[in-house]
Amino acid sequence: MLTIARALVDQIVAHARADHPDEACGVVTGPAGADRPVRFVPMTNAERSPTFYKFDPVELLKLDREVDDLDEEIVIVYHSHTATEAYPSRTDVSYAAYAPDAHYVLVSTRDETETEFRSFRIVGGDFEGGRRVGAEVVEEEVVVVEPAG
Amino acid sequence: MAIEVRIPTILRNLTGGEKAVEGKGGTLDELFGDLDSRHPGLRDRLVDDKGLRKFVNVYLNDEDVRFLGGLEAAVSDGDNVTILPAVAGG
């Protein structure tokens, strides 16, 4: 189960809408070991493509250092699909190797008004030939925490 | 002094859980060969017969090695190497 504040959901969706029709991507980090998404970090899609995304390698290194220095973990890896459903593609699974234990959030902006927001775990498998091999996609419930009052 | 190599989470099963390991060599290729002798399988996760695997990022002192000659990049004692799988998908 992914528990996430409404404000973070809104930030992820806004990023996906802003970059549409290209795919948007980024992470949400949080305190190490807490499984609690706190800090929204949008990333540049180095591919600038409607069908592919790749974190800019320099930004990825900077992110990795920050997460280490701040004693954080990658809680969520998110990206958008701009013409298909919010479900991890085979390609998504094969490159889910940087933060294997994260929640993988998929947003679909294929509809102009309705935004799909779903979360998955990508479980098991090995890292072979530069790809994640044999991993399984498991959808999980998303609990959105609304602001108090 | 040696070359410090930071290992990503997904490859720590090859380093006994270690986040960073040390190695030696004059080029990145030699360094990976040296690491592979103590952590068998590591090199194959990073390199294929055409060079560095496409979806693996390797940084030498915070610079992407693709701009430093890839596997032929010169390394020496005191350098830091970081390995990070690309974050990508479709």
Side-chain angles (χ1 to χ4, degrees):
Chain A
M1 180 175 80
L2 171 65
T3 304
I4 181 171
R6 170 62 64 190
L8 288 169
V9 173
D10 290 348
Q11 280 175 298
I12 292 170
V13 170
H15 183 201
R17 287 286 168 199
D19 283 10
H20 185 92
D22 289 344
E23 294 193 6
C25 55
V27 302
V28 183
T29 66
D35 192 29
R36 187 159 55 87
V38 176
R39 188 166 70 92
F40 171 71
V41 189
M43 303 292 284
T44 301
N45 177 1
E47 301 287 322
R48 290 186 172 75
S49 159
T51 56
F52 202 77
Y53 81 96
K54 183 182 174 193
F55 284 15
D56 177 89
V58 175
E59 286 183 20
L60 174 63
L61 179 66
K62 183 170 167 276
L63 169 72
D64 192 71
R65 288 286 149 80
E66 277 176 8
V67 164
D68 215 41
D69 292 345
L70 298 171
D71 200 20
E72 290 183 332
E73 64 185 0
I74 306 285
V75 184
I76 293 171
V77 177
Y78 73 86
H79 79 282
S80 63
H81 284 170
T82 58
T84 56
E85 71 170 327
Y87 191 89
S89 64
R90 265 187 296 173
T91 317
D92 292 336
V93 175
S94 62
Y95 298 126
Y98 169 63
D101 303 324
H103 302 266
Y104 283 82
V105 164
L106 269 288
V107 169
S108 176
T109 54
R110 62 180 165 174
D111 187 280
E112 266 178 51
T113 50
E114 293 287 312
T115 306
E116 295 166 54
F117 186 105
R118 295 165 72 180
S119 185
F120 305 85
R121 296 289 198 162
I122 298 177
V123 183
D126 194 11
F127 186 66
E128 286 172 11
R131 290 164 189 248
R132 185 107 174 246
V133 178
E136 200 184 323
V137 174
V138 181
E139 184 159 13
E140 61 182 359
E141 188 189 351
V142 177
V143 175
V144 180
V145 180
E146 303 293 343
Chain B
M1 283 276 270
I3 301 159
E4 190 198 48
V5 183
R6 290 168 64 121
I7 304 293
T9 311
I10 201 145
L11 290 178
R12 288 182 198 157
N13 59 332
L14 300 175
T15 60
E18 290 297 324
K19 225 172 148 171
V21 296
E22 292 194 336
K24 57 182 180 356
T27 63
L28 197 60
D29 200 25
E30 288 173 14
L31 174 65
F32 286 166
D34 176 57
L35 292 177
D36 201 67
S37 66
R38 288 182 303 285
H39 311 289
L42 189 59
R43 187 177 186 281
D44 180 64
R45 304 299 200 282
L46 310 175
V47 176
D48 63 17
D49 51 11
K50 291 189 286 294
L52 269 183
R53 291 189 184 277
K54 193 168 172 223
F55 287 93
V56 176
N57 297 316
V58 179
Y59 309 86
L60 172 60
N61 301 327
D62 292 1
E63 259 202 89
D64 191 333
V65 298
R66 283 179 216 284
F67 303 114
L68 301 172
L71 285 175
E72 299 312 312
V75 296
S76 56
D77 282 359
D79 281 346
N80 287 286
V81 171
T82 302
I83 300 164
L84 295 177
V87 184

